[in-house]
């Protein structure tokens, strides 16, 4: 009896001495932030802050006549691309691939889509509306087809080319290119704070599949950030 009691006491002592087993919170996977960054010293002498580049300020009009600014997309993820309505080259393929992504997230209000025309002189609001309808997009609040030149602004084309560069998309007039414009088929994934988090070649099905896999990763990060803010 004495031996059993001593063994029991020894076992209890070992359990009490063992470190408590606490489950560490799972870290949310994060996509990289694309573009330049600045290291900004803090006034209080603490660790310097890293400030990441964001999409520059813009003002667009979509196929429903809605005005769009950066604030229109705050708090949500969006996928951006550049096209023009009369494009006989890569645009039909691009939009067909983006439709796959759109249908995957069509019912998810955390995701929207933004297609910029690089031919604002031709692509009026009516042209953009017709283009969207032919793609089967009835809800302009889910997928915006937008122009910088709804009111005939003389600098509209230059403005959209500058915006394209900010999204790491090449676009420029080219008389030798089909339709008079040369551009690549980049899809840009943008987070709730305006940071570009991924770039994808729309003409490569593997890249489009990667976008479809990485978008939920970004949404989980956004949800985690919102939950953290709400808990403060």
């Amino acid at each position: 009896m004495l031996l059993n009691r001593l063994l029991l006491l020894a076992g209890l002592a070992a359990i009490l001495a063992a470190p408590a087993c606490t489950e560490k919170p799972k870290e949310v996977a994060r996509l990289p932030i694309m573009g330049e960054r600045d290291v900004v010293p803090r006034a209080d002498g603490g660790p310097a802050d890293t400030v990441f580049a964001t999409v520059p300020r813009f003002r667009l009009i979509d196929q429903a006549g809605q005005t769009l600014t950066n604030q229109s997309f705050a708090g949500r993820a969006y996928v951006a691309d550049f096209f023009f309505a009369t494009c006989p080259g890569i645009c039909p393929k691009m939009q067909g691939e983006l439709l796959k992504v759109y249908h995957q997230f069509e019912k998810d209000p955390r995701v929207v889509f933004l297609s910029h025309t690089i031919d604002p002189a031709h692509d009026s609001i009516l042209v953009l509306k017709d283009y969207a309808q032919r793609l089967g997009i009835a809800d302009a609040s889910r997928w915006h087809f937008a122009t910088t030149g709804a009111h005939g602004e003389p600098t509209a084309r230059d403005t959209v080319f500058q915006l394209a560069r900010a999204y790491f998309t090449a676009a420029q007039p080219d008389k030798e290119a089909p339709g008079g414009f040369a551009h690549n088929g980049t899809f840009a994934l943008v987070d709730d704070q305006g940071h570009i988090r991924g770039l994808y070649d729309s003409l490569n099905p593997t890249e489009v599949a990667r976008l479809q896999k990485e978008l939920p990763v970004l949404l989980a990060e956004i949800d985690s950030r919102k939950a953290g803010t709400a808990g403060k």
Side-chain angles (χ1 to χ4, degrees):
M1 291 291 291
L2 179 60
L3 178 59
N4 289 341
R5 185 176 296 176
L6 290 173
L7 290 173
L8 178 60
L9 290 173
L12 288 172
I15 292 172
L16 292 173
C21 181
T22 56
E23 189 174 326
K24 293 183 179 180
K26 292 182 179 179
E27 292 187 6
V28 177
R30 292 176 62 90
L31 302 177
I33 298 177
M34 320 296 289
E36 298 180 356
R37 60 199 66 189
D38 290 326
V39 177
V40 181
R42 285 172 48 175
D44 61 4
D49 294 319
T50 301
V51 179
F52 295 93
T54 58
V55 174
R57 292 177 61 185
F58 59 77
R59 185 179 180 85
L60 310 169
I61 306 294
D62 73 5
Q63 74 269 33
Q66 303 173 102
T67 299
L68 306 174
T69 66
N70 306 71
Q71 193 58 34
S72 304
F73 302 90
R76 296 184 290 177
Y78 70 94
V79 181
D81 74 331
F82 291 79
F83 80 107
F84 60 107
T86 57
C87 174
I90 67 173
C91 294
K93 171 68 172 175
M94 286 176 58
Q95 303 298 9
E97 291 298 314
L98 196 52
L99 269 172
K100 296 178 183 177
V101 187
Y102 171 80
H103 287 313
Q104 180 180 351
F105 297 94
E106 185 174 1
K107 304 299 182 182
D108 193 330
R110 300 173 298 170
V111 185
V112 287
F113 297 80
L114 174 59
S115 293
H116 308 74
T117 175
I118 59 174
D119 188 8
H122 175 270
D123 293 348
S124 64
I125 293 175
L126 288 177
V127 169
L128 294 174
K129 184 176 181 179
D130 176 69
Y131 189 90
Q133 289 175 343
R134 285 188 283 115
L135 274 177
I137 308 302
D139 186 355
S141 68
R142 301 292 294 114
W143 189 343
H144 305 278
F145 293 85
T147 177
T148 54
H151 306 294
E153 295 88 339
T155 60
R157 193 172 71 176
D158 293 336
T159 300
V160 75
F161 291 154
Q162 292 169 8
L163 195 55
R165 287 194 290 273
Y167 284 97
F168 301 97
T169 296
Q172 63 184 29
D174 186 343
K175 294 180 180 179
E176 302 300 321
F181 293 93
H183 68 110
N184 61 16
T186 301
F187 292 157
L189 176 59
V190 187
D191 70 14
D192 55 319
Q193 299 176 330
H195 302 120
I196 296 176
R197 304 301 296 274
L199 299 169
Y200 312 86
D201 179 2
S202 66
L203 305 180
N204 184 338
T206 301
E207 287 285 284
V208 176
R210 182 167 66 89
L211 169 58
Q212 292 177 288
K213 291 179 180 178
E214 291 186 349
L215 224 170
V217 174
L218 179 58
L219 292 177
E221 178 193 323
I222 293 172
D223 288 345
S224 175
R225 182 160 43 245
K226 288 180 178 178
T229 302
K232 291 182 179 178

